[in-house]
Amino acid sequence: MLPGDVTVYDIKWLSMWCIRFTANFGEVFIPADLNVPPLVEDVEIPAMPMMNCEELHRDMQVSWTLAGENLDVELTGRVEDGDYMAFGVSGCNDRACMVGSDVTVAWYDGDVPRAVDYTLKAYSQCSGASGVCPDDRVGGTDNNVNITGRQVNGITRIRYSRPINTGDTTTDKVIDPSQNMYISWAIGPINPSGVAAKHHTRVEVSDQVQLMFGREASDMCEMISSATPAPVTPWPTRKIKGDQVTNFTVRIGPTGGRRGYEAITGLPSWGIAYWLNGLLIPELELKRGWKYTFIVEGGNDTATPERYHPFYITDDPTGGYVQKTPAEQQQVRVFAGVDENGMPTAAGRYCEYNNPNGDTSETSETFAEYARTLQEDCMPGQAAQFTWTPDVDTPDLVYYHCFTHQYLGWKIRVVDEFTSGAAGVSAGMLAVMGTLFAGALLLGHI
């Protein structure tokens, strides 16, 4: 270490001098044009390249090296902050399918790269022992080790290692290096609880991928562009005022991508959300002392978690009451939709708005335009129903939510007197929205 501000360019020569014998044991003269390298500890040593690489999507690649009984993997993608890359072995031997898959979900948690071992037991948010869950939440083990990562120019790279046979038969697949294996992959958001939410990009049926992990080394990848998606204009938040509408039909529908749920709430979604009277998570303004009726068609088949969404009203902004520990449940209040034994009372048959041709939220400038692309699909059966009358003990802000899953609903403003100004969505406008959906439904069956 040189003293003070002295650099090597200030020094003409160096010598080894013996103080005791006052003798020069040797010297070296430093040329004026010497090219001096930087301090070695400041130079980042690049990771060894993987032996194989495959493009999964224009925004995602997987590289790997088979190292004995371990598989070293690097996921590379152009992903937004807070988004994950998921990669692993398909749940089906003859095609790519989500349910049953054994995947790693990799993302940056602030400045820390994560690569978490997941099992996909159902096409739904992790709840109890079902859904898209980290292995260690459903009786398995997180077998990923040696996790590293880097982010440069909008491109995220995360590396991890895992055994090809973990011995964990409940949550993991055995990787056979000599066989072509179907792959599951996706890109999507991590929710505020640190758990994977529903993907927004995934493998398509027409573009399924098989990989042989023990193949001869082959790099089939090109550089991913660091360009970012073009910004979109969010749809305005909808409000329904309870002085004009006192009956609410509750169904399931899509989130509307970056223009919809994410823009309204500032939170990632699971990919589905509540629709009330044909509107995506409208904010309700309800008056104390008035009685309101909720007609719920969120699904009542407990054996199919992706179609079981009981509706309830709470002061908890997250929802998913059943996912909470007993201690956490004691910290929140429930105002309607749950009985004295803590069980949901409002589920009903399953009705969903969906687009059979895929999501059009990116290209739909208005919500009405988006709504016209949807069709309504309802299972046989009856709707559930309950009434609720806010009272003096009801807080000014509560939420409607799903009993089994988080982040499906939104806000209810409870007032003593209805606010002046914007009237919200009127009963007439809701009738128009109903006509739009009816037209879309008719077109979908022509």
Side-chain angles (χ1 to χ4, degrees):
M1 183 70 69
L2 296 176
D5 296 328
V6 176
T7 72
V8 68
Y9 300 107
D10 300 316
I11 300 172
K12 305 301 182 184
W13 50 266
L14 294 173
S15 70
M16 183 177 292
W17 180 262
C18 178
I19 298 175
R20 182 174 180 181
F21 294 101
T22 61
N24 179 13
F25 284 3
E27 71 278 332
V28 58
F29 290 90
I30 301 176
D33 58 350
L34 181 65
N35 183 14
V36 181
L39 185 63
V40 173
E41 66 183 27
D42 290 339
V43 178
E44 181 178 347
I45 300 175
M48 290 292 292
M50 295 289 186
M51 301 296 291
N52 301 275
C53 185
E54 287 284 343
E55 291 186 354
L56 304 175
H57 183 267
R58 65 178 181 273
D59 292 333
M60 182 173 169
Q61 300 172 353
V62 59
S63 305
W64 73 92
T65 297
L66 186 64
E69 297 299 311
N70 292 308
L71 186 69
D72 299 332
V73 179
E74 180 176 85
L75 302 181
T76 302
R78 182 180 61 192
V79 295
E80 298 288 326
D81 289 341
D83 272 9
Y84 64 78
M85 299 176 286
F87 171 82
V89 178
S90 168
C92 300
N93 294 328
D94 59 348
R95 66 189 189 280
C97 62
M98 175 178 168
V99 176
S101 294
D102 169 21
V103 304
T104 289
V105 173
W107 77 101
Y108 258 85
D109 182 5
D111 296 329
V112 180
R114 306 284 188 192
V116 178
D117 197 355
Y118 267 66
T119 184
L120 281 54
K121 293 184 174 295
Y123 193 72
S124 64
Q125 190 180 125
C126 186
S127 180
S130 183
V132 178
C133 299
D135 282 14
D136 55 13
R137 283 183 54 171
V138 291
T141 302
D142 189 337
N143 293 287
N144 292 336
V145 296
N146 302 329
I147 300 164
T148 61
R150 62 190 188 279
Q151 293 179 299
V152 180
N153 296 329
I155 304 299
T156 296
R157 300 176 185 272
I158 296 180
R159 286 193 174 203
Y160 62 93
S161 297
R162 59 153 288 172
I164 59 174
N165 184 357
T166 67
D168 187 349
T169 58
T170 60
T171 57
D172 289 336
K173 296 274 190 181
V174 176
I175 295 174
D176 186 341
S178 65
Q179 297 294 319
N180 274 315
M181 305 188 75
Y182 280 96
I183 297 304
S184 290
W185 67 266
I187 302 172
I190 291 290
N191 73 22
S193 300
V195 179
K198 186 178 179 180
H199 54 259
H200 53 68
T201 306
R202 65 164 182 169
V203 60
E204 298 295 339
V205 174
S206 60
D207 193 27
Q208 300 193 43
V209 178
Q210 286 181 283
L211 296 180
M212 182 184 292
F213 290 100
R215 74 187 190 187
E216 291 187 11
S218 177
D219 186 338
M220 306 298 292
C221 295
E222 297 182 0
M223 183 177 296
I224 296 178
S225 168
S226 60
T228 57
V232 298
T233 302
W235 300 319
T237 302
R238 300 284 179 160
K239 177 181 284 189
I240 303 178
K241 296 183 70 171
D243 58 344
Q244 301 186 47
V245 181
T246 58
N247 292 342
F248 300 95
T249 298
V250 181
R251 290 174 173 167
I252 297 297
T255 63
R258 293 190 293 161
R259 297 185 191 270
Y261 187 99
E262 294 178 20
I264 294 168
T265 67
L267 299 169
S269 72
W270 173 245
I272 56 174
Y274 278 130
W275 287 55
L276 275 62
N277 292 2
L279 298 177
L280 169 62
I281 57 165
E283 182 178 308
L284 308 184
E285 183 179 305
L286 307 182
K287 185 176 179 179
R288 293 181 176 88
W290 285 42
K291 183 169 73 173
Y292 298 95
T293 301
F294 294 86
I295 302 161
V296 183
E297 296 174 321
N300 53 16
D301 183 2
T302 59
T304 310
E306 64 267 29
R307 291 193 169 190
Y308 179 58
H309 306 292
F311 182 87
Y312 76 118
I313 297 173
T314 175
D315 65 355
D316 172 28
T318 301
Y321 185 80
V322 75
Q323 295 190 31
K324 301 182 184 300
T325 65
E328 290 171 336
Q329 290 177 354
Q330 293 295 318
Q331 299 300 312
V332 300
R333 298 172 65 188
V334 174
F335 301 97
V338 178
D339 65 20
E340 62 275 6
N341 296 317
M343 298 302 295
T345 61
R349 67 173 183 169
Y350 187 75
C351 281
E352 180 180 13
Y353 300 119
N354 61 61
N355 187 334
N357 299 315
D359 183 67
T360 63
S361 61
E362 289 286 310
T363 57
S364 298
E365 293 293 336
T366 66
F367 176 75
E369 180 184 347
Y370 180 65
R372 284 192 291 269
T373 69
L374 305 179
Q375 69 178 28
E376 172 192 282
D377 291 324
C378 290
M379 304 292 288
Q382 301 295 318
Q385 181 174 308
F386 70 81
T387 60
W388 179 52
T389 304
D391 58 25
V392 294
D393 294 324
T394 308
D396 293 341
L397 177 61
V398 294
Y399 301 83
Y400 57 89
H401 272 307
C402 175
F403 181 82
T404 53
H405 303 106
Q406 298 177 337
Y407 306 110
L408 265 65
W410 194 226
K411 296 176 179 178
I412 301 176
R413 304 280 184 184
V414 180
V415 298
D416 295 321
E417 297 295 337
F418 290 109
T419 57
S420 59
V425 180
S426 67
M429 176 59 74
L430 292 173
V432 171
M433 294 306 301
T435 302
L436 288 174
F437 279 114
L441 178 61
L442 176 61
L443 290 172
H445 286 80
I446 291 177

